[in-house]
Amino acid sequence: MNTKYIIEYHREAVVRYVSHLDFVRVMNRVIRRAELPMAYSEGFNPHPLMGFALPLSTGVTSSCEKMELTLKEEMPANEFLKKLQDNMPKGFTVVSVTQVPPNTKSPIKGISRAVYRVAGVQEVEANALADFMSKTEILVDKRTKSGIKNTDIRQDIFAIKQENGELVMELSAGNERNLKPETVLLAMELYIEGFSPLYDSIHRQSMM
Amino acid sequence: MREQLLRYVQKPTRYTGGEWGSVMKNKEEIDIRFAFCFPDTYEIGMSYPGMQILYFLMNSRPDTWCERVFAPAEDMEALLREKNIPLFALESGDSVRDFDLLGFTLQYEMSFTNILNMLELAKIPLLSKDRGEDVPVVCAGGPCACNPEPLAAFIDFFIMGEGEEVNLEVLEAYGAWKKTGGTKRELLEQLAKIEGIYVPAFYDVVYNEDGTIQSFAPNCDAAPKRVRKRIIKDFNTGFTPEQLIVPYGDIVHDRAVLELFRGCIRGCRFCQAGMLYRPVREKTPENLLKTAQKLLSATGYEEMSMSSLSTSDYTRLRELTDGLLALTEPKMVGLSLPSLRIDNFSMELMQRVQKVRKSGLTFAPEAGTQRMRNVINKNVTEEDVMRSAEIAFRGGYSSMKLYFMIGLPTETEEDCRGIGELASRVVDVYHSIPKPERPKGLGITISVSSFVPKPFTPFQWAAQDSMASLREKQQAIKGSIRAKAVRYTYHESTVSVLEGAFARGDRRLGKVLLAAHEKGCKFDAWSETFHPEWWDEAFSENGLSIDWYQRARGLDEILPWDFVDIGVTKKFLLHEYEKAMREETTPDCRTACAGCGAACFGGGVCFEH
Ligand code: SF4
């Protein structure tokens, strides 16, 4: 019987430039190397049943990635985890494998927010940050499907705080609305005097 | 260092390393650091199976760490220069300048400027004579090393022929030398004693006034008069990696490759590979299937292809393909077939492999008339072409691509018109098949390229056709196409003249190469980055003319590559050239041995009976 599993994994710095599309290809090969009893889609060009919570931008590391793999038979979670880990390129670390009980909502569906940590950014004065967050409209050039547009991103920013010299941002994430931390940095440059959008690295910490 | 750059470049995984299968080692435990340099982009280099063979071979030595280096793309090169960061190797990210050895693979002449550019980016002096004791030793190998002379000034030593055995001998000698702390000169003297190694500095060339060679001779005792290429005599059991590096990004050929055999029995007179890799040596289906199995489970590839110079000539092809299909079908691995001779067997095979899509077929008659095909020893008759076409059409294939060459020795306008006429007769074959028995939508493509004479072929003496003459010939072909269903494509290549010059070039071209590099020439194989005007200047500034290199060579001339012994003798090549002029053909190695000289290696097809 087809059984769904949720795989939680990290993407570390060494593989942060592997794009989402490339990662899909990586997984296809991991599946073959590990000889997993995958369930395949129907149709002309069957492909293994595989789903991702939310594509991760190239260059961003993460400790909260999730994907769903469907096997055509049950496999103990720890065995599954080992097979995956043994066949993943270094830098992709599987932290847990959980079987999804039948008829429950898949945890990779319905993601709407994510928390990012931006390191190596300039410190902002608390007042300036509060001021920025109190704006009712934040207009910035944003890349959309129909080209670059001046867009109001205020409702996609849920929180920004400073912690240990990093900027922690909770932003819209998902198919409906999505905002990248880099775009927020550009907006901050526009609205906060003297702020520079330069940063060292971005890390996705959680999704919900 | 590289971390700072990756964010700003396209396709960063070209530079990150860390792919599945790539080899990481602990620097502390390593004596020899070898930088395997491919003078082209990652996507192209990673598609050459030969590079991976030698990568895993050299890494099988515990004292050696072989890493990869590719030519950076324009954006990365600009950053390296701007930030003054030297070229780095993929695995460790360390500067190539700090390695022991750099090894360039020479797959095509038009990559030569990239070698110079890579050395420069690595902050290594370009000229061999300017590199001190603290600079890595630079070597090169691969098919274009068979005439190493244009690169003689830049490369410390060349490796002739197949690398699977000799590379290990080189590393062995290097390791021993490093321990004794000798000079580079001493190292090169040691290396020159290894069969297959050519140290250009150990030879002097004297030229005649007309630019031809008066003498070519060793100037030191360690150097042999002639350098014989290396082969793996027992190819069947020779080194074969059971692992491959699986790239992250999209590369040109992203699949597992199975090398069925080396060499070619055919002896087409224009084909350099056909002579260079003689004698033909096969792997058994048993071994190949074992390798296939291992490669698939080690890489997870969803596609596997067979490689060789002429797969239809593999003696146990049916057995092999049956075995491969039994392996790949249950795993849902695609088997991609190289261009096989079109016959009932290949039709049946293709039916099995490509269950869905009927893509086009390719066929390479190479020349339009029987006379011309006899000259080039392409043993394909008009009947063969027509029979193949009929089989293909009846097999449901409606499109067919026919490959031809122009600019061949003795070629006339009639031969060129023959190309269009041959295509017309293929169209006639289609129409002669009753409608219900043939597919709809006939499409024949004639693909024409221009011939470049290469060393170690019977045409090594022939003149290279001029651009003007090639253009006239194209017109003749166009005029000869009658049927609407026939499409004509021509790869107009100004590059081919340059390719020809370097293929048959001498040491004097080193100066031209250097000048071209200084003007900014690189990636010459790409039309966007090719600057013929810079090359023209580079030639004239050095008092050389590119036309001189296009000329026919005198039969008694000392050719720059004469000192290389590939087994096939000059006498045989000359004999073949004369037969070509008489329009006589030579049978393949299995029909009758032509006594080419390659039997001197003591293995392969020459001893099959
Ligand atoms: S010696 Fe004879 S059989 Fe051997 S490669 Fe030459 S022609 Fe072929």
Side-chain angles (χ1 to χ4, degrees):
Chain A
M1 221 198 45
N2 280 6
T3 313
K4 289 182 176 167
Y5 291 85
I6 291 297
I7 323 297
E8 282 188 287
Y9 62 99
H10 295 178
R11 180 162 92 175
E12 281 142 35
V14 284
V15 288
R16 68 178 145 155
Y17 291 104
V18 176
S19 69
H20 178 67
L21 220 68
D22 289 345
F23 184 67
V24 174
R25 193 166 29 219
V26 166
M27 280 315 299
N28 272 296
R29 287 162 186 174
V30 167
I31 285 164
R32 288 172 179 280
R33 294 197 285 264
E35 296 183 13
L36 296 172
M38 290 297 292
Y40 277 77
S41 64
E42 309 278 320
F44 230 34
N45 239 331
H47 53 87
L49 294 178
M50 190 161 59
F52 297 87
L54 188 66
L56 185 60
S57 305
T58 306
V60 178
T61 58
S62 167
S63 50
C64 64
E65 294 308 291
K66 283 193 186 86
M67 65 181 152
E68 183 186 85
L69 299 180
T70 307
L71 300 186
K72 55 184 186 215
E73 59 202 47
E74 275 186 45
M75 184 186 280
N78 54 354
E79 184 188 334
F80 194 174
L81 187 145
K82 187 174 181 328
K83 282 196 178 193
L84 281 172
Q85 192 55 67
D86 288 351
N87 289 288
M88 294 278 246
K90 216 172 159 230
F92 293 106
T93 311
V94 183
V95 288
S96 75
V97 172
T98 328
Q99 190 171 333
V100 184
N103 307 320
T104 50
K105 184 174 164 250
S106 170
I108 62 163
K109 298 246 167 74
I111 302 283
S112 63
R113 293 181 190 198
V115 178
Y116 299 92
R117 304 187 75 95
V118 184
V121 274
Q122 185 188 317
E123 207 178 315
V124 196
E125 278 199 35
N127 286 344
L129 192 58
D131 216 38
F132 179 73
M133 288 303 289
S134 70
K135 297 258 182 303
T136 48
E137 188 185 62
I138 297 177
L139 286 168
V140 66
D141 284 346
K142 191 184 162 199
R143 194 180 295 273
T144 64
K145 280 182 193 102
S146 46
I148 292 177
K149 262 199 199 141
N150 204 253
T151 317
D152 179 11
I153 58 166
R154 179 61 191 90
Q155 60 163 313
D156 296 310
I157 307 176
F158 300 104
I160 302 182
K161 59 182 176 185
Q162 295 189 87
E163 219 176 71
N164 308 326
E166 296 179 344
L167 273 179
V168 184
M169 305 177 180
E170 184 172 335
L171 310 173
S172 285
N175 290 335
E176 306 275 304
R177 308 192 66 87
N178 195 58
L179 181 62
K180 291 181 163 196
E182 296 98 310
T183 314
V184 178
L185 293 175
L186 291 176
M188 286 171 73
E189 186 189 22
L190 291 176
Y191 285 82
I192 302 175
E193 217 184 285
F195 182 81
S196 147
L198 294 180
Y199 64 93
D200 282 345
S201 62
I202 301 178
H203 180 80
R204 184 148 81 188
Q205 175 178 290
S206 58
M207 283 189 272
M208 55 220 98
Chain B
M1 291 277 235
R2 72 174 144 183
E3 269 307 303
Q4 318 162 16
L5 310 174
L6 296 171
R7 198 194 295 174
Y8 307 103
V9 297
Q10 290 183 359
K11 305 186 189 174
T13 52
R14 287 165 161 176
Y15 311 105
T16 57
E19 309 94 319
W20 180 258
S22 60
V23 178
M24 292 303 286
K25 294 194 178 188
N26 179 358
K27 278 188 252 183
E28 313 303 312
E29 293 158 17
I30 294 302
D31 297 330
I32 307 172
R33 296 196 62 185
F34 190 99
F36 198 138
C37 306
F38 197 105
D40 211 319
T41 59
Y42 178 89
E43 290 74 17
I44 292 175
M46 285 303 291
S47 303
Y48 274 82
M51 179 175 199
Q52 299 225 26
I53 298 178
L54 297 176
Y55 177 83
F56 287 103
L57 174 92
M58 292 194 266
N59 276 318
S60 70
R61 278 179 71 97
D63 66 347
T64 304
W65 188 8
C66 170
E67 303 185 41
R68 294 161 294 151
V69 187
F70 297 94
E74 206 185 339
D75 56 352
M76 179 56 109
E77 176 176 340
L79 277 178
L80 290 173
R81 289 189 188 275
E82 181 195 314
K83 307 218 182 249
N84 202 22
I85 295 178
L87 187 65
F88 52 82
L90 257 53
E91 279 73 1
S92 63
D94 289 344
S95 161
V96 172
R97 174 75 164 67
D98 299 329
F99 278 56
D100 291 292
L101 281 156
L102 266 66
F104 283 93
T105 174
L106 312 177
Q107 299 292 334
Y108 30 87
E109 292 82 4
M110 290 301 94
S111 66
F112 287 178
T113 50
N114 283 2
I115 298 179
L116 271 54
N117 201 38
M118 284 169 80
L119 286 173
E120 183 176 287
L121 287 171
K123 302 191 181 294
I124 293 176
L126 305 187
L127 292 167
S128 199
K129 66 172 172 58
D130 297 340
R131 292 196 287 263
E133 296 292 331
D134 61 333
V135 184
V137 174
V138 180
C139 66
C144 294
C146 71
N147 174 21
E149 290 302 89
L151 290 172
F154 312 100
I155 305 290
D156 298 324
F157 70 94
F158 290 88
I159 302 174
M160 301 292 175
E162 298 167 7
E164 281 100 328
E165 288 169 6
V166 62
N167 279 28
L168 294 181
E169 292 164 30
V170 166
L171 292 173
E172 189 68 36
Y174 186 92
W177 166 81
K178 198 178 174 185
K179 283 197 187 86
T180 63
T183 61
K184 264 190 184 176
R185 167 94 197 178
E186 282 162 353
L187 171 70
L188 293 173
E189 282 178 8
Q190 283 303 314
L191 292 172
K193 289 180 193 151
I194 299 175
E195 185 162 80
I197 302 299
Y198 167 57
V199 180
F202 292 169
Y203 298 80
D204 291 328
V205 192
V206 181
Y207 296 91
N208 294 311
E209 241 166 61
D210 64 359
T212 56
I213 295 173
Q214 186 180 86
S215 73
F216 181 102
N219 58 28
C220 102
D221 288 342
K225 266 218 182 70
R226 298 194 72 203
V227 181
R228 173 173 282 188
K229 81 168 183 201
R230 294 291 295 268
I231 69 157
I232 333 167
K233 193 164 129 188
D234 193 352
F235 182 62
N236 185 35
T237 59
F239 179 83
T240 311
E242 291 171 346
Q243 165 70 293
L244 293 169
I245 300 170
V246 184
Y248 285 119
D250 237 342
I251 62 164
V252 183
H253 298 299
D254 198 11
R255 59 197 183 194
V257 180
L258 211 51
E259 191 184 10
L260 312 191
F261 60 92
R262 289 237 171 115
C264 179
I265 57 168
R266 299 272 149 189
C268 296
R269 291 177 180 134
F270 54 84
C271 178
Q272 187 184 42
M275 295 296 160
L276 279 186
Y277 294 101
R278 280 187 176 213
V280 164
R281 288 144 294 146
E282 291 192 343
K283 284 194 167 125
T284 60
E286 295 78 25
N287 267 352
L288 288 167
L289 291 175
K290 244 185 264 167
T291 307
Q293 167 103 54
K294 288 195 174 132
L295 281 180
L296 289 178
S297 61
T299 60
Y301 267 127
E302 56 289 315
E303 188 184 339
M304 170 157 253
S305 79
M306 295 186 274
S307 106
S308 75
L309 288 170
S310 148
T311 302
S312 295
D313 289 327
Y314 183 63
T315 47
R316 294 159 73 187
L317 190 57
R318 179 174 290 267
E319 213 179 319
L320 176 69
T321 50
D322 284 349
L324 279 177
L325 285 167
L327 188 72
T328 54
E329 274 172 343
K331 291 188 179 204
M332 294 206 268
V333 168
L335 187 62
S336 70
L337 298 174
S339 41
L340 292 168
R341 204 177 308 139
I342 302 166
D343 54 22
N344 291 325
F345 165 70
S346 61
M347 280 293 131
E348 180 200 318
L349 191 60
M350 276 191 284
Q351 229 95 55
R352 282 182 70 185
V353 170
Q354 307 164 314
K355 290 202 178 86
V356 238
R357 208 164 48 98
K358 292 239 188 265
S359 54
L361 290 177
T362 60
F363 198 80
E366 306 289 7
T369 57
Q370 194 57 49
R371 187 202 76 80
M372 194 70 247
R373 284 193 297 273
N374 289 351
V375 170
I376 63 176
N377 203 38
K378 181 85 195 180
N379 289 324
V380 167
T381 63
E382 172 110 12
E383 274 163 45
D384 293 332
V385 181
M386 298 310 144
R387 194 178 330 112
S388 301
E390 171 148 15
I391 292 174
F393 295 141
R394 287 189 180 275
Y397 289 86
S398 59
S399 64
M400 205 169 170
K401 199 168 184 178
L402 302 170
Y403 286 97
F404 296 95
M405 256 185 307
I406 54 170
L408 293 160
T410 77
E411 188 177 59
T412 63
E413 203 192 310
E414 197 188 327
D415 295 314
C416 295
R417 279 202 312 268
I419 292 175
E421 285 155 14
L422 186 75
S424 303
R425 285 194 293 278
V426 171
V427 173
D428 293 343
V429 170
Y430 175 82
H431 289 296
S432 73
I433 302 172
K435 265 197 182 150
E437 291 163 41
R438 68 182 197 213
K440 282 198 191 72
L442 172 73
I444 305 292
T445 305
I446 301 179
S447 174
V448 178
S449 61
S450 40
F451 165 69
V452 178
K454 294 277 167 104
F456 298 107
T457 65
F459 291 161
Q460 64 178 358
W461 292 278
Q464 184 173 357
D465 220 349
S466 68
M467 292 307 281
S469 156
L470 287 171
R471 292 210 179 102
E472 272 171 32
K473 287 174 178 175
Q474 286 175 59
Q475 289 311 316
I477 300 173
K478 271 193 202 153
S480 70
I481 297 169
R482 303 256 173 273
K484 265 219 307 273
V486 179
R487 212 170 64 91
Y488 168 80
T489 64
Y490 178 72
H491 307 281
E492 148 99 36
S493 80
T494 28
V495 180
S496 69
V497 178
L498 200 59
E499 180 190 333
F502 277 91
R504 294 195 293 173
D506 51 23
R507 279 192 187 190
R508 299 177 305 162
L509 285 186
K511 288 207 186 86
V512 176
L513 198 56
L514 194 60
H517 161 73
E518 278 160 7
K519 292 175 196 299
C521 291
K522 61 192 166 197
F523 291 106
D524 300 296
W526 304 89
S527 52
E528 318 87 80
T529 39
F530 180 57
H531 290 273
E533 69 288 358
W534 292 351
W535 279 103
D536 286 345
E537 288 168 23
F539 269 94
S540 59
E541 282 166 18
N542 285 289
L544 293 170
S545 120
I546 194 159
D547 307 342
W548 190 82
Y549 290 92
Q550 278 183 278
R551 82 201 154 92
R553 308 297 197 261
L555 297 182
D556 52 358
E557 247 179 67
I558 298 176
L559 302 171
W561 54 92
D562 272 351
F563 73 95
V564 182
D565 173 7
I566 68 156
V568 176
T569 60
K570 193 173 182 183
K571 204 173 131 214
F572 170 78
L573 295 175
L574 185 58
H575 185 60
E576 280 294 295
Y577 184 51
E578 287 162 352
K579 278 175 92 174
M581 296 303 120
R582 296 196 302 267
E583 300 167 14
E584 283 172 28
T585 62
T586 300
D588 66 74
C589 292
R590 289 206 177 94
T591 306
C593 169
C596 75
C600 67
F601 294 105
V605 65
C606 328
F607 298 86
E608 261 173 21
H609 303 291

